[in-house]
Amino acid sequence: MAVTIHQLRQLKQQGRPISVLTAWDFALATLIDQAGVDVVLVGDSLAMVALGYSTTLSLTLEEMLYHAQAVTRGVNHALVVCDLPFMSYQESPQQALKSAGTLLQQAGVAAVKVEGGYPDMVETVRFLVNRGIPVMGHVGLTPQSVHQFSGYRRQGTSEVDADRILQEAIALEQAGAFAIVLEHMPTPLAAKITQTLTIPTIGIGAGSACDGQVLVTADMLGLSDWQPPFAKSYGNLRQSIIETVQQYCDEVRNHQFPQ
Ligand code: KIV
């Protein structure tokens, strides 16, 4: 049985933390779904970890659609949420509806995620939700605003900023978001947002009080050559791939393979 939005809300009520991981292709999606993750996020971080762009800003809707289609082909159990790429939703609620509709219709994702909680974005979320499109919010460090933030800085460190982020999260819930990502912010702020909202909060670099956690799978597997300070590697796939490939090359060169 596939995970539903309703079940995520029940998990918050039960106090059972929600696990979220990103995926960008069929192979990875199949593996993390079989391992039992609750939500697979086709995050626009794929721009950096899978396509080699220097930020997420370069990713287009067409590229996202291509990857989302591959991911949904590999997922049977988890809820699949897809990021709306930069400039595919900021222009107007109508533009956001068209982009979200494309991802739901042509890739079969269940929901979209948008970054930011400023008033125009709250209206966009309301517009989508009123038209039957489930939306996950994302506040704190929103990587599509990297230039506005002058880097990937922790957000909500002053009282004024913390209060603004709290108000944004409340506004997104009131607009109908079904869950919200809290990225790179102080633990007490994420805890306060989590206590205030009835929808699940999914933290990344936001401490342990959130209702769930998300990591970029490349970081989690130790596949990236760089990762943010708050990420945790549960493996070192980078090293093991290099060593495995070296062994293959050696065996080919030494006439050991094929035998
Ligand atoms: O793009 C992404 O992977 C994300 C997560 C870090 C939340 O938005």
Side-chain angles (χ1 to χ4, degrees):
M1 269 268 289
V3 175
T4 63
I5 285 168
H6 178 66
Q7 282 168 347
L8 295 184
R9 197 179 278 241
Q10 285 179 327
L11 290 177
K12 174 172 178 128
Q13 285 159 4
Q14 292 161 7
R16 199 285 250 148
I18 299 164
S19 56
V20 185
L21 281 174
T22 68
W24 51 85
D25 67 12
F26 172 80
L28 189 59
T30 307
L31 294 174
I32 63 177
D33 188 51
Q34 279 177 15
V37 76
D38 298 311
V39 178
V40 170
L41 173 66
V42 193
D44 63 357
S45 55
L46 76 82
M48 299 164 79
V49 300
L51 300 181
Y53 291 129
S54 58
T55 69
T56 58
L57 306 187
S58 309
L59 190 75
T60 65
L61 182 63
E62 289 68 31
E63 289 169 322
M64 189 51 126
L65 177 61
Y66 177 80
H67 285 272
Q69 285 171 332
V71 169
T72 53
R73 284 195 283 267
V75 176
N76 288 316
H77 170 74
L79 183 84
V80 182
V81 180
C82 186
D83 265 334
L84 284 182
F86 181 60
M87 288 319 293
S88 76
Y89 65 104
Q90 284 90 347
E91 202 176 298
S92 65
Q94 287 77 7
Q95 187 206 24
L97 180 64
K98 208 161 168 239
S99 301
T102 300
L103 292 168
L104 266 74
Q105 277 191 320
Q106 295 182 35
V109 304
V112 294
K113 175 162 83 58
V114 300
E115 294 189 5
Y118 48 92
D120 282 354
M121 192 48 60
V122 171
E123 280 323 301
T124 292
V125 170
R126 198 186 317 279
F127 190 84
L128 293 179
V129 173
N130 283 344
R131 283 154 185 80
I133 303 206
V135 182
M136 180 182 272
H138 184 159
V139 297
L141 172 59
T142 46
Q144 291 177 11
S145 305
V146 57
H147 299 307
Q148 203 166 36
F149 292 148
S150 301
Y152 297 101
R153 293 165 189 278
R154 200 154 83 117
Q155 301 296 305
T157 49
S158 71
E159 215 175 299
V160 173
D161 269 357
D163 190 56
R164 176 184 50 77
I165 293 171
L166 171 64
Q167 297 311 322
E168 287 178 352
I170 293 171
L172 286 166
E173 169 168 285
Q174 287 171 350
F178 72 88
I180 185 162
V181 169
L182 308 179
E183 181 163 352
H184 209 8
M185 64 179 66
T187 300
L189 171 58
K192 188 163 180 193
I193 296 173
T194 301
Q195 282 156 15
T196 306
L197 302 190
T198 61
I199 58 172
T201 60
I202 309 294
I204 174 163
S208 61
C210 298
D211 299 305
Q213 297 292 326
V214 56
L215 281 177
V216 173
T217 302
D219 299 337
M220 194 273 293
L221 294 175
L223 203 52
S224 336
D225 59 353
W226 175 88
Q227 61 181 45
F230 49 77
K232 178 173 175 185
S233 292
Y234 287 80
N236 192 345
L237 270 202
R238 190 179 171 80
Q239 192 56 31
S240 84
I241 289 174
I242 290 173
E243 283 171 12
T244 308
V245 172
Q246 281 172 339
Q247 185 184 348
Y248 164 75
C249 294
D250 286 349
E251 290 197 6
V252 168
R253 286 169 194 151
N254 297 333
H255 302 281
Q256 284 174 282
F257 176 80
Q259 285 188 329

